Amino acid sequence: MSRPTFEVADIVRTHGRPFIDRYGSQLSFQQLKALNAIARCRTAELGGHIDDCPCCGHTAISYNSCRNRHCPKCQAQARQRWLAAREAELLDTHYFHVVFTVPHELAPLCQRNQRVLYNLLFRISAETMLEIAADPKHLGAEIGFLSILHTWGQNLMLHPHVHCIVPTGGFAPDRKAWIHPRYAFFLPVKVLSRVFRGKFIAALRRAYRQKRLQFFGAGADLEDAARFESFVHSLFRQDWVVYAKPAMGGAPQVLRYLGRYTHRVAISNHRLLAIGGDHVTFRWKDYAHGNKKRKMTVGASEFLRRFVQHVLPRGFVRIRHFGFLANAHRTELLVIARELIGESPESQPSTASVPGEVRLWRCPLCGADMRMGTNLTAFQLRSRCSYFDTS
């Protein structure tokens, strides 16, 4: 893929200071840290290293990455390493994609209570999947799946939802047989939706009683018990969205599919179309109107405001495993699952098909792969630049 013309870093460098001056008191330390990292990513401020071509001897300086998980430029290698680690865990069966979404009315509350509500979203969606799958009326099996949190919509507005990637079927209660689903859509989405709504609202009420929620801004009035109960009651009257996509193919297809979801940030640099004056134009997909591709222009401060909404709390884990894929017993249960499915060693994915690292750039003179060499600090880079500027 060609290098994008515009980057989020360009917006942060140009408009970040006015944005922080205006909204700094409302920004968390992690949001400020992410903006600072994105602005410095792959610049001399972070140091760098000398790359050289083993064929023709050409040398060049490459700047270091910030490695912040919210930086659009720092996700490719992390995604490749994660996919390489997960490849050996894929089963030789089809997979389903299930999405749990909370109503948009919860967005202001999520904004001020990220850790509490996003943990609830993970836990309640997982409990719902496990409970309905274990019910003999639906599947009667112990399933396993991984869940991935996304907090954004295509227009960068807050839209918390969880993507679940689940193998087709699961263990019988005694773990001596593999049960295949009786439905083409794996589990009934209407049942999932009702159970998810009931469990989440009950957990939300419990969090309120335990005083674990904070109320600011547009949601400040919800601190009043009567208003909060009225708000929760209005949520219960809605149909909550749970969507199950058709079964995907085998392991290679699943890996490619996972790559779309695991290490994405709110917006990729390739979606940026123009940065001019105080405005930013980007491409977005309008899912409400037939997935039409549209353009949106917003003020630079508004763009940054939307972007920082998706900076997660420190240490928050946004990819989690549940059921028989949970970390505690995953390795041993995967062995049993492969035996029950009848998976042959030859059908298991090869770790060679997904590289663990992204290859360095090619030499502009001879086309050979460049080789990473000596590391340079920011001071050494400035010294080199000063030397060449004065010579």
Side-chain angles (χ1 to χ4, degrees):
M1 186 177 289
S2 60
R3 184 174 180 177
T5 305
F6 305 101
E7 297 182 350
V8 172
D10 298 327
I11 305 170
V12 177
R13 293 181 194 123
T14 306
H15 301 282
R17 178 46 54 191
F19 173 75
I20 292 173
D21 290 342
R22 181 177 179 182
Y23 296 106
S25 61
Q26 304 174 35
L27 300 178
S28 68
F29 173 76
Q30 291 302 315
Q31 290 172 327
L32 293 170
K33 182 179 178 181
L35 290 175
N36 181 57
I38 292 170
R40 301 170 68 200
C41 186
R42 298 186 189 178
T43 68
E45 293 184 57
L46 296 182
H49 48 85
I50 299 175
D51 298 333
D52 67 274
C53 176
C55 295
C56 70
H58 173 71
T59 60
I61 293 177
S62 292
Y63 298 130
N64 290 333
S65 301
C66 67
R67 298 189 178 183
N68 188 287
R69 62 174 169 169
H70 302 98
C71 176
K73 290 189 291 190
C74 290
Q75 298 307 299
Q77 290 196 22
R79 179 173 59 249
Q80 291 297 89
R81 287 193 295 268
W82 188 88
L83 288 174
R86 299 284 78 76
E87 184 179 26
E89 299 169 358
L90 291 174
L91 298 173
D92 186 23
T93 185
H94 287 9
Y95 281 70
F96 275 87
H97 180 191
V98 183
V99 184
F100 290 84
T101 304
V102 297
H104 68 88
E105 288 86 353
L106 274 170
L109 204 58
C110 289
Q111 200 168 7
R112 291 295 183 176
N113 299 274
Q114 288 180 312
R115 192 177 295 277
V116 173
L117 291 189
Y118 293 162
N119 274 326
L120 280 185
L121 179 53
F122 267 121
R123 180 170 64 82
I124 301 303
S125 60
E127 287 180 3
T128 300
M129 288 269 285
L130 293 169
E131 180 180 309
I132 301 304
D135 190 336
K137 292 188 299 184
H138 302 298
L139 183 62
E142 176 190 355
I143 61 173
F145 53 96
L146 64 89
S147 297
I148 307 161
L149 173 69
H150 282 180
T151 62
W152 56 85
Q154 280 275 307
N155 58 6
L156 291 188
M157 299 299 285
L158 201 62
H159 177 62
H161 56 286
V162 163
H163 297 267
C164 304
I165 310 296
V166 52
T168 304
F171 289 116
D174 59 3
R175 291 183 178 170
K176 293 183 178 180
W178 184 263
I179 298 178
H180 295 276
R182 66 189 70 174
Y183 306 107
F185 44 84
F186 188 59
L187 293 172
V189 291
K190 289 186 177 180
V191 176
L192 289 172
S193 175
R194 289 195 295 268
V195 174
F196 174 56
R197 178 185 61 187
K199 285 179 172 290
F200 195 99
I201 288 178
L204 192 61
R205 284 187 169 123
R206 189 159 51 250
Y208 178 82
R209 291 195 302 269
Q210 295 171 350
K211 300 187 183 303
R212 295 166 54 206
L213 300 178
Q214 299 180 22
F215 303 94
F216 299 95
D221 61 333
L222 295 180
E223 192 165 8
D224 177 76
R227 290 182 181 273
F228 181 81
E229 187 55 36
S230 175
F231 170 70
V232 168
H233 187 65
S234 69
L235 293 177
F236 198 81
R237 290 198 302 266
Q238 298 183 36
D239 289 330
W240 288 35
V241 178
V242 176
Y243 179 63
K245 292 188 176 182
M248 295 172 275
Q253 292 89 341
V254 176
L255 276 176
R256 287 195 293 270
Y257 201 82
L258 284 175
R260 305 178 193 175
Y261 292 96
T262 54
H263 292 75
R264 289 176 61 186
V265 294
I267 188 170
S268 70
N269 287 327
H270 288 276
R271 284 177 54 198
L272 297 176
L273 299 177
I275 303 173
D278 293 331
H279 290 85
V280 177
T281 301
F282 61 92
R283 184 185 302 108
W284 69 292
K285 190 178 292 185
D286 188 354
Y287 292 121
H289 297 88
N291 295 341
K292 289 185 177 180
K293 292 182 179 180
R294 303 184 186 276
K295 297 178 182 179
M296 179 174 291
T297 300
V298 297
S301 289
E302 173 61 13
F303 178 90
L304 291 175
R305 187 196 69 81
R306 295 188 188 187
F307 183 85
V308 298
Q309 289 182 109
H310 311 296
V311 174
L312 297 174
R314 180 184 180 186
F316 190 88
V317 180
R318 58 179 297 268
I319 304 176
R320 305 185 185 185
H321 296 75
F322 297 97
F324 68 76
L325 289 180
N327 294 331
H329 304 289
R330 182 164 64 231
T331 301
E332 59 190 84
L333 292 180
L334 281 172
V335 173
I336 299 174
R338 289 196 170 95
E339 293 175 353
L340 297 178
I341 292 173
E343 183 176 330
S344 63
E346 293 77 13
S347 64
Q348 295 182 21
S350 168
T351 55
S353 61
V354 178
E357 297 288 342
V358 176
R359 186 174 57 189
L360 284 175
W361 56 292
R362 292 183 181 275
C363 175
L365 302 183
C366 69
D369 289 343
M370 294 290 283
R371 182 175 55 191
M372 185 183 296
T374 307
N375 289 321
L376 301 171
T377 65
F379 175 77
Q380 290 172 319
L381 280 173
R382 286 194 296 270
S383 300
R384 280 176 173 260
C385 291
S386 299
Y387 173 80
F388 285 115
D389 288 342
T390 56
S391 61

